[in-house]
Amino acid sequence: MSDDSAGTAARAPSPEDRHASWLELFFDLVAVAGVAQIAHLLHGTPGPADVGLYALLFLAFWTAWICFTLYADVADAGTHTRTVLVAMFGMAVMAAAVPGVHEGNDQSSRVFALAYVLTRVVANRAWQHRRQVLVDWPAAQMSLGVTPWIVSLWVHDPARHWLWALGVVLDLYVTFAVSAREIVEHQAAHERRERREGRRPGRVRAGSLSFARSQTEHLSERLGLFIIIVLGEGVAQVIEAAADVEWERKLYGFSVAAFALLTAVWALSFRHGYAGVPHLAAGVLPTRAALPLHCFVAGCLAALAAALGAAVGHLETLPNATRWLLCSALSGYFLLSALARPGRAERAGRADGAHRPLLYVSLPCCALPLLLAGFGARLATVTTVWLLVLVVLWPIVYERRLTRGSGG
């Protein structure tokens, strides 16, 4: 990566040889701070309002992160270091404002919204300078979803949060409903209107715009790194919580169970998945569909990590809110992985693959954690976690048996 004043590198590495740069890894470290701060919203005994705010802030933070992840993925050696550093600072401000947003502090909420808006504006300008339209994620360079966030600067809670949710929904709408060609046509119509009104056309002319697509292998590495960060945050939360309680036999058992659960999730996400999404195969889903899937999987795992950290303080039995959070996060993780499984089965050439794994694996793995949440109030905390470990191990065992049965 190069600095603005230093120009860009003369030769970019081939897609096969390219890996995350030091700048990209530095940028991903901000994700550690952001995920940690947002996950803390679920500590204690979170209610529905806490879970809703967590989901909203996580979606906003992930959206800001993916905008610049895609920018660096496409720009490669042409990435401007200053642009990425400004984005890092904006995301750091967002992370720092999260506790105040949770407490209902009006100033913190405005700071969070303003940092998000400025970060998205920087992303938009970065694509304008490149004169490219991103086919895989048009929301990265369109301001429709940012508009409600701007309006929210003059609104108070809870209306402000509803405006933020509207902005996230508009971004998803742009992603799935607007094509890159429509963006170019809109830009051309805007410039024609400016000429008719006698105004000077904008800096980026529609005729000079080109289409850009992400580099699949490099992007999958960045997405996988984000999932690793989330799983690492789970380990960090258990360690942080364990440091504040008395070390005893139950804590030892819980620590082993929690580590086994996170390890099993890691194996399922990476050894039996792609880009951190379990049961996803490379090239099966278009990037527009794979990115939201990655976002929601990461959100479920961050909630799982928060629940494990909260469980350390309740080694006898889990409070209802913590148990439901732990089990429903894992159930959501499997529900999302079920969306990726049919394409994996078709690629493997199994005629029954789109139905049998869903029936024998995805359905029980989604249902069993919810049954445990509903009827496991009297179970010891360590027993609950070990049962969830068995749930995660079942699809791994099934996948291995299926592989051996088909000749490896």
Side-chain angles (χ1 to χ4, degrees):
M1 300 295 180
S2 60
D3 193 39
D4 292 350
S5 59
T8 59
R11 176 182 173 274
S14 64
E16 293 79 8
D17 299 332
R18 187 183 173 195
H19 296 284
S21 68
W22 295 117
L23 178 62
E24 290 173 313
L25 293 174
F26 188 22
F27 179 72
D28 287 342
L29 285 176
V30 180
V32 177
V35 170
Q37 288 286 70
I38 295 172
H40 275 80
L41 299 179
L42 299 177
H43 280 193
T45 54
D50 297 316
V51 175
L53 183 61
Y54 160 80
L56 179 59
L57 298 188
F58 187 91
L59 282 168
F61 192 84
W62 183 90
T63 299
W65 175 81
I66 198 62
C67 285
F68 288 93
T69 296
L70 288 167
Y71 164 67
D73 177 74
V74 173
D76 198 356
T79 301
H80 287 174
T81 302
R82 188 179 306 165
T83 299
V84 177
L85 292 178
V86 170
M88 289 170 59
F89 181 78
M91 292 175 62
V93 171
M94 290 171 62
V98 167
V101 175
H102 185 223
E103 295 169 1
N105 185 291
D106 192 66
Q107 183 177 2
S108 296
S109 297
R110 283 196 173 93
V111 167
F112 185 91
L114 183 60
Y116 177 80
V117 169
L118 294 178
T119 302
R120 292 291 302 272
V121 169
V122 171
N124 181 273
R125 288 181 61 84
W127 286 106
Q128 286 184 352
H129 281 292
R130 289 195 59 79
R131 293 179 169 83
Q132 287 182 311
V133 176
L134 184 62
V135 175
D136 298 325
W137 194 259
Q141 55 198 117
M142 294 190 69
S143 57
L144 181 62
V146 182
T147 304
W149 288 80
I150 297 175
V151 177
S152 74
L153 295 173
W154 292 274
V155 178
H156 300 283
D157 298 341
R160 176 188 285 122
H161 295 161
W162 286 108
L163 285 171
W164 292 358
L166 175 61
V168 172
V169 170
L170 289 176
D171 276 334
L172 292 175
Y173 168 77
V174 168
T175 297
F176 292 105
V178 179
S179 68
R181 191 169 300 279
E182 288 174 327
I183 298 176
V184 175
E185 292 174 353
H186 173 77
Q187 178 68 24
H190 177 69
E191 292 188 357
R192 287 194 297 269
R193 185 166 56 252
E194 285 184 328
R195 291 190 181 95
R196 286 197 303 267
E197 296 173 356
R199 290 184 293 175
R200 183 179 178 182
R203 176 183 295 183
V204 181
R205 299 181 181 279
S208 65
L209 291 176
S210 61
F211 296 114
R213 290 187 177 275
S214 58
Q215 298 183 28
T216 305
E217 289 304 317
H218 176 257
L219 180 60
S220 69
E221 181 184 26
R222 296 293 305 281
L223 297 178
L225 285 173
F226 192 90
I227 297 295
I228 287 291
I229 287 171
V230 172
L231 292 175
E233 176 58 24
V235 177
Q237 292 211 35
V238 173
I239 292 173
E240 181 182 357
D244 296 331
V245 300
E246 183 180 353
W247 286 51
E248 56 178 352
R249 185 175 174 181
K250 291 180 181 177
L251 179 60
Y252 298 148
F254 173 81
S255 299
V256 173
F259 186 75
L261 178 60
L262 293 172
T263 303
V265 170
W266 165 80
L268 187 60
S269 295
F270 290 93
R271 293 195 172 186
H272 301 273
Y274 180 74
V277 179
H279 302 140
L280 179 65
V284 167
L285 294 178
T287 304
R288 286 198 189 200
L291 287 180
L293 198 60
H294 173 272
C295 174
F296 296 133
V297 165
C300 288
L301 292 182
L304 179 72
L308 287 175
V312 175
H314 306 279
L315 295 177
E316 293 290 340
T317 57
L318 290 173
N320 287 336
T322 305
R323 188 179 67 258
W324 272 101
L325 177 63
L326 179 67
C327 295
S328 59
L330 191 62
S331 179
Y333 169 80
F334 280 110
L335 176 63
L336 293 164
S337 71
L339 301 178
R341 182 178 280 279
R344 182 185 181 93
E346 291 173 8
R347 170 158 288 205
R350 297 192 295 266
D352 65 338
H355 302 289
R356 287 181 57 190
L358 289 175
L359 180 63
Y360 298 152
V361 177
S362 298
L363 182 60
C365 286
C366 289
L368 289 176
L370 296 179
L371 291 174
L372 187 59
F375 301 98
R378 296 185 179 181
L379 291 176
T381 299
V382 66
T383 302
T384 300
V385 178
W386 275 118
L387 288 174
L388 293 179
V389 172
L390 294 178
V391 171
V392 179
L393 288 178
W394 164 237
I396 297 176
V397 173
Y398 181 88
E399 195 79 27
R400 288 181 177 176
R401 291 181 60 186
L402 205 62
T403 302
R404 290 174 183 171
S406 61

